[in-house]
């Protein structure tokens, strides 16, 4: 079996060229939004805005400016995290979402029926409906390219190697080295999702960040949707039991009221 | 900030809101009908039969709403069978949407059987086989299963919302309990409105009214606990949905009907037909509860949260 493969995205070298977005769209033949007529966000240079069913890569622009000459740009090429414990796989009622031999997470478009449970289950807001297909879609980590020994289109296109593709163990070692290098230079660098003991068993697409995760639109502590299942079920059963008892008590009271009073 | 604010909205809108309402109402009505079937008196039979009709139609409408809402409606059966490995069943006990699909199917089956029994009882079906569905042990078993599945359908929709990563829904484990209570109150309200036309006696309606009051109190208590459990997430209610929850659900959907059940004289013109008016308001409140709960979360956009808007 092939080893686990994934992405390490070093956000410090991303230049926001969007080559990854274009390569992804081109390779996966994803349609244009709004018939190709771009609607500008109006509040950012980031006009793609979000990952969805037709944007499987999104270069996030984070504009941290307190004045015209005081601030910085942060850029991050965002994508499906291919979680080791994936919420989308957990909830999918059709079995359309599978884990591949590369430890990546893929939605089979011919099985998905567009119920959208996976969209709300993903803690990162990665998945959405592709209106053309009518099914939920997201990055496949170029499963078709991996099968024939090619690297994903986005990593191939990235001109600065911000997106690095390879075996997860190698990528983690490389990421740690890069983080140490930046820290030695005084940069507050941190890895997000690289720890296999961390949330969701680690992410097979992890990041090097220079600010807090929330700044990049990433949850600090992503969780599986099933965390609420037992408690929610217990409370529902308790509520049903209370109502059932109240109904029976009401019937008993009615019966008692109907009985004639005893002579004693 | 809760980590749920970084997830995406699943676009569960009007069809799903309607399904949650109809499914809860049908489930609650079926549970009450089964309870009266088992433990009630012969005079309760009109309410029992009405309950099974409401349940059967509710289950059928629920199935249709769910199917139409799918991105690929013709693939609805992928939730029940493994499409690439027929005839293997598709079932995930840990996924509410998976066991919910089976629950709706089975609820539909058993509630339709119960309704057929009710039709046979009314003399509308003459075939002897149908009489087995309203007399004897088999009939009792069928309606018991239908009633239990009904309460399950009423409540699992709340569990389904909790087992996500969306704001509000996943921030509290109390939504399932809230929807069970709401299903019970709306089920009773539907019976209070429809059963008189099928010959329900005043004593049956009195019991329904009394049960509805109890269900509304439980619903109010669970709603308070639900809101307390949300903690800082409650700021999302500073919106039109919060107003709807407070005025539409708590005010008109719970407190006013509770008052109409307990002290109708205080409610002026509404007191002319207190049971009917209370039932209509409970149905409105049940619908608005699901509307506010779903759309308040649907309106939270990950992109806008990320850029601080």
């Amino acid at each position: 079996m092939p080893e686990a493969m994934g992405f390490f995205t070093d956000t410090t070298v991303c230049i926001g060229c969007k080559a990854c977005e274009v390569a992804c769209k081109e390779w996966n033949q994803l349609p244009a939004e709004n018939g190709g007529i771009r609607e500008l966000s109006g509040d950012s240079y980031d006009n793609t805005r979000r990952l969805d069913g037709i944007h499987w890569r999104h270069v996030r622009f984070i504009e941290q400016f307190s004045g015209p000459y005081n601030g910085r740009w942060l850029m991050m090429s965002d994508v499906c995290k291919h979680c080791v414990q994936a919420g989308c796989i957990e909830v999918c009622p059709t079995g359309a979402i599978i884990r591949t031999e590369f430890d990546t997470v893929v939605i089979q478009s011919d099985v998905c029926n567009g119920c959208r449970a996976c969209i709300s289950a993903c803690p990162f807001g990665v998945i959405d409906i592709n209106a053309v297909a009518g099914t939920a879609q997201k990055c496949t980590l170029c499963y078709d390219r991996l099968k024939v020994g090619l690297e994903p289109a986005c990593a191939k296109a990235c001109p600065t190697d911000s997106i690095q593709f390879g075996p997860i163990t190698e990528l983690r070692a490389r990421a740690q080295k890069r983080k140490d290098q930046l820290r030695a230079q005084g940069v507050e660098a941190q890895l997000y999702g690289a720890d296999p003991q961390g949330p969701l068993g680690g992410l097979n697409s992890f990041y090097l960040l220079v600010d807090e995760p929330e700044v990049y639109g990433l949850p600090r502590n992503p969780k599986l949707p099933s965390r609420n299942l037992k408690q929610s079920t217990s409370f529902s059963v308790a509520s049903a039991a209370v109502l059932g008892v109240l109904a029976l008590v009401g019937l008993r009271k009615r019966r008692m009221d109907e009985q004639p009073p005893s002579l004693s | 900030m809760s980590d749920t604010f970084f997830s995406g909205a699943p676009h569960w809108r009007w069809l799903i809101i309607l399904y949650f309402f109809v499914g809860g109402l049908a489930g609650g009505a079926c549970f009450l009908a089964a309870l009266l079937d088992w433990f009630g008196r012969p005079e309760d039979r009109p309410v029992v039969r009405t309950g099974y009709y409401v349940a059967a139609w509710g289950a059928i409408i629920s199935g249709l709403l769910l199917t139409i809402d799918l991105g690929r409606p013709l693939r609805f059966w992928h939730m029940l069978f493994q499409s690439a490995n027929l005839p293997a069943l598709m079932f995930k006990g840990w996924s509410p949407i998976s066991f919910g699909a089976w629950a709706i199917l089975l609820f539909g089956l058993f509630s339709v059987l119960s309704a057929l029994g009710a039709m046979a009882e009314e003399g509308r079906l003459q075939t002897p086989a149908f009489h087995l569905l309203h007399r004897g042990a088999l009939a009792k078993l069928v309606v018991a299963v239908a009633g239990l599945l009904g309460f399950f359908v009423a409540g699992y929709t709340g569990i389904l919302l909790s087992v996500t990563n969306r704001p509000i829904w996943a921030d509290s484990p109390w939504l399932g309990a809230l929807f069970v209570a709401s299903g019970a109150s709306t089920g009773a309200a539907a019976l209070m409105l429809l059963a008189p036309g099928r010959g329900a006696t005043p004593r049956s309606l009195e019991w329904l009214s009394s049960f509805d009051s109890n269900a509304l109190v439980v619903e109010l208590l669970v709603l308070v606990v639900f809101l307390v459990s949300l903690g800082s997430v409650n700021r999302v209610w500073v919106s039109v949905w919060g107003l709807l929850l407070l005025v539409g659900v708590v005010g008109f959907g719970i407190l006013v009907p509770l008052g109409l059940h307990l002290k109708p004289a205080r409610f002026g013109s509404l007191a002319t037909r207190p049971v009917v008016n209370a039932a209509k308001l409970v149905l409105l409140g049940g619908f608005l509860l699901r509307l506010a709960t779903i759309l308040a979360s649907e309106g939270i956009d990950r992109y806008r949260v990320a850029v601080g808007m």
Side-chain angles (χ1 to χ4, degrees), chain B residues 56-76:
Chain B
W57 280 112
I60 291 165
I61 293 169
S62 295
L64 288 174
L65 288 169
L66 279 177
T67 303
I68 296 166
D69 185 68
L70 294 173
R72 300 292 293 262
L74 293 178
R75 293 183 188 170
F76 73 93

Side-chain angles (χ1 to χ4, degrees), chain A residues 1 21 62 147 157 166 174 218:
Chain A
M1 184 173 166
E21 274 193 38
I62 299 132
K147 293 277 272 184
R174 206 182 299 168
L218 298 168

Side-chain angles (χ1 to χ4, degrees), chain A residues 142-180:
Chain A
C142 282
Y143 184 51
D144 51 348
R145 291 174 65 96
L146 261 58
K147 293 277 272 184
V148 293
L150 296 172
E151 69 176 313
C154 54
K156 182 83 177 170
C158 181
T160 62
D161 262 356
S162 172
I163 302 169
Q164 297 178 36
F165 166 76
I168 288 294
T169 46
E170 271 180 38
L171 291 177
R172 281 189 186 134
R174 206 182 299 168
Q176 189 60 45
K177 204 170 155 188
R178 173 67 175 154
K179 186 186 91 172
D180 294 343

Side-chain angles (χ1 to χ4, degrees), chain A residues 43 50 89-93 109 111-113 116 120-121 124 128 133 220 223 227-228 247 254-255 258, chain B residues 3 10-12 35 39 41 44 69 71-72 75 78 90 92 94-95 162 165 170 177 203 301-303:
Chain A
D43 50 53
R50 58 175 71 79
I89 294 181
E90 194 175 61
V91 301
C92 177
S109 201
V111 179
C112 174
N113 67 8
R116 312 191 292 283
S120 58
F124 303 102
D128 209 340
R220 182 168 293 272
K223 302 177 193 78
R227 69 189 179 281
N228 283 329
R254 186 176 71 167
R255 200 173 305 134
E258 283 169 1
Chain B
D3 286 318
H11 322 298
W12 287 337
L35 208 72
F39 303 106
R41 300 175 65 87
D44 295 323
D69 185 68
R72 300 292 293 262
R75 293 183 188 170
H78 287 200
M90 187 66 223
K92 287 182 175 178
W94 57 91
S95 167
S162 285
N165 263 309
R203 287 192 62 76
D301 184 333
R302 173 184 180 241
Y303 165 72

Side-chain angles (χ1 to χ4, degrees), chain A residues 16 209 241:
Chain A
L209 310 176

